[in-house]
Amino acid sequence: MSTETNAPSPPDTDWDKAHDSAEFKELRARLRRFVFPVSALFLLWYLLYVLLADYAHGFMSTKLVGNITVGLVFGLLQFVSTFVITGLYVRYANKKLDPIAEKIRTDIESEAK
């Protein structure tokens, strides 16, 4: 049984040229301008939560309403911050990253023809 297909092979693309292009460098710079600061802020926020949970038992066990404590609110806010970061990234990518990525893709496809 043969596993050959009659599908055309992908065209040769000069990936080094694409990687060295000004558009790709701009895309990478824009991505890093978002990812690094947001990652650092989130890690600091998470570290604050862990440190408070470990060293500030009295504060974290302070009841706010019924059995809802400061620690529980901080823990839930970790999830909220993850969703907020995801939304911010999607909006940023749609406005700042996707147009450049689309241009790079179009350039590569047009050169391959």
Side-chain angles (χ1 to χ4, degrees):
M1 176 182 242
S2 174
T3 59
E4 284 185 35
T5 62
N6 292 333
S9 62
D12 291 332
T13 301
D14 186 357
W15 293 110
D16 289 331
K17 180 180 174 187
H19 185 265
D20 293 336
S21 71
E23 291 89 4
F24 187 80
K25 289 178 182 177
E26 178 62 23
L27 177 65
R28 194 169 53 191
R30 286 184 184 193
L31 178 67
R32 289 177 176 176
R33 271 189 296 249
F34 181 87
V35 170
F36 290 148
V38 171
S39 295
L41 286 173
F42 180 78
L43 288 173
L44 288 172
W45 162 238
Y46 180 72
L47 182 61
L48 173 68
Y49 171 66
V50 170
L51 290 174
L52 287 173
D54 196 30
Y55 296 107
H57 296 151
F59 173 69
M60 294 297 270
S61 63
T62 302
K63 291 188 178 193
L64 298 174
V65 177
N67 287 329
I68 308 291
T69 63
V70 171
L72 180 63
V73 171
F74 268 58
L76 292 173
L77 286 175
Q78 293 293 317
F79 290 101
V80 171
S81 64
T82 301
F83 289 114
V84 168
I85 289 169
T86 301
L88 290 172
Y89 175 77
V90 167
R91 189 172 64 181
Y92 183 82
N94 287 338
K95 289 181 181 179
K96 302 285 186 177
L97 303 177
D98 291 349
I100 296 175
E102 180 64 25
K103 182 180 182 330
I104 294 169
R105 185 179 68 79
T106 302
D107 291 347
I108 289 172
E109 288 177 350
S110 66
E111 286 177 8
K113 289 182 182 180

